Amino acid sequence: AGLGGIGLDTSREIVKSGPKNLVILDRIENPTAIAELKAINPKVTVTFYPYDVTVSVAETTKLLKTIFASLKTIDLLINGAGILDDYQIERTIAVNFTGTVNTTTAIMEFWAKRKGGPGGVIANICSVTGFNSIYQVPVYSASKAAALSFTNSLARLAPITGVTAYSINPGITRTPLVHKFNSWLDVEPRVAELLLEHPTQTTLECAQNFVKAIEANKNGAIWKLDLGRLDAIEWTK
């Protein structure tokens, strides 16, 4: 989701850093945001395709075929779709976890070195809740832990696939996501309010550190982006 809270600020920072192309896949079209991104750096070609991460691997592969046909090479895939609403159990798992797995699986068709592909890099947006759950939203926290575990495995499979991976784990960031959301079984009606009593960071701080992590390009890194800092976390074996 390149046009959401952290996503849009990250897209802005990526465009400033000057790649040749930025392709944004999102469920909701936002022509104003796309126009703004194009204006930041006219040297970067920004394109948009409507995409819902909950579609099948086959459906995703079809869209990727179109994108690869027009671009020839893609170096980096960012899986960034996420929802925070523990009333919606199936959708939380579908968007936060299954979507990441399916999109990754689909791109392997084009990237995996066993298929003669060039390899590539995957950055998965997980969350600090992946290693320290917000227990009032156990479904959300578990979906992020699953995405984190999946990413750690991808990194270790790099010698076979040629595809490297790392996770981006933001702390509490002031986005529309955290202002109002539902806890599981209503165990805590004030969960959003309580969360925002903690120190937070802005989406801009988070985005700037995200771009630093992209530039570091470290396979297997578990990046923690919290309180305006970027730190590599050591996974306890």
Side-chain angles (χ1 to χ4, degrees), residues 14 18-23 64 67-68 71-78 107 110-111 117-123 162-166 214 217:
I14 288 172
K20 207 162 139 208
N21 292 288
L22 174 65
V23 179
L64 287 175
I67 297 169
F68 273 91
L71 285 189
K72 305 296 180 274
T73 60
I74 295 171
D75 305 311
L76 170 68
L77 166 67
I78 299 172
I107 209 163
F110 305 87
W111 271 357
V121 182
I122 294 177
V163 176
T164 59
Y166 51 85
I214 291 172
N217 195 21

Side-chain angles (χ1 to χ4, degrees), residues 13-182:
E13 295 303 310
I14 288 172
V15 167
K16 282 182 203 163
S17 73
K20 207 162 139 208
N21 292 288
L22 174 65
V23 179
I24 292 177
L25 309 179
D26 208 323
R27 214 164 50 93
I28 296 153
E29 197 159 354
N30 182 340
T32 318
I34 297 290
E36 185 210 326
L37 291 171
K38 286 179 173 172
I40 291 172
N41 188 348
K43 288 195 186 86
V44 182
T45 307
V46 180
T47 44
F48 173 84
Y49 293 87
Y51 176 61
D52 183 329
V53 296
T54 62
V55 300
S56 66
V57 174
E59 194 74 14
T60 304
T61 306
K62 228 160 66 181
L63 174 60
L64 287 175
K65 257 194 188 116
T66 309
I67 297 169
F68 273 91
S70 85
L71 285 189
K72 305 296 180 274
T73 60
I74 295 171
D75 305 311
L76 170 68
L77 166 67
I78 299 172
N79 283 312
I83 63 163
L84 173 46
D85 181 353
D86 265 22
Y87 283 4
Q88 300 185 61
I89 293 172
E90 275 108 342
R91 188 155 177 82
T92 296
I93 295 163
V95 172
N96 295 356
F97 179 54
T98 316
T100 295
V101 175
N102 287 359
T103 311
T104 301
T105 305
I107 209 163
M108 286 295 175
E109 181 79 27
F110 305 87
W111 271 357
K113 68 178 187 186
R114 291 182 303 171
K115 294 186 175 229
V121 182
I122 294 177
N124 287 333
I125 302 187
C126 300
S127 162
V128 294
T129 60
F131 33 83
N132 187 7
S133 63
I134 299 173
Y135 62 88
Q136 300 96 329
V137 282
V139 183
Y140 173 82
S141 301
S143 70
K144 290 298 188 177
L148 176 62
S149 172
F150 178 67
T151 311
N152 294 343
S153 297
L154 285 176
R156 296 181 70 172
L157 289 168
I160 297 165
T161 60
V163 176
T164 59
Y166 51 85
S167 62
I168 299 293
N169 300 279
I172 305 164
T173 308
R174 292 196 293 282
T175 72
L177 206 66
V178 297
H179 284 296
K180 184 182 180 311
F181 59 90
N182 299 311

Side-chain angles (χ1 to χ4, degrees), residues 1-14 80 125-126 140 168-178 201-208 210 225:
L3 303 174
I6 293 173
L8 182 54
D9 264 336
T10 302
S11 294
R12 288 186 183 112
E13 295 303 310
I14 288 172
I125 302 187
C126 300
Y140 173 82
I168 299 293
N169 300 279
I172 305 164
T173 308
R174 292 196 293 282
T175 72
L177 206 66
V178 297
Q201 64 183 354
T202 64
T203 53
L204 178 62
E205 288 173 307
C206 189
Q208 287 169 337
F210 194 156
L225 287 70

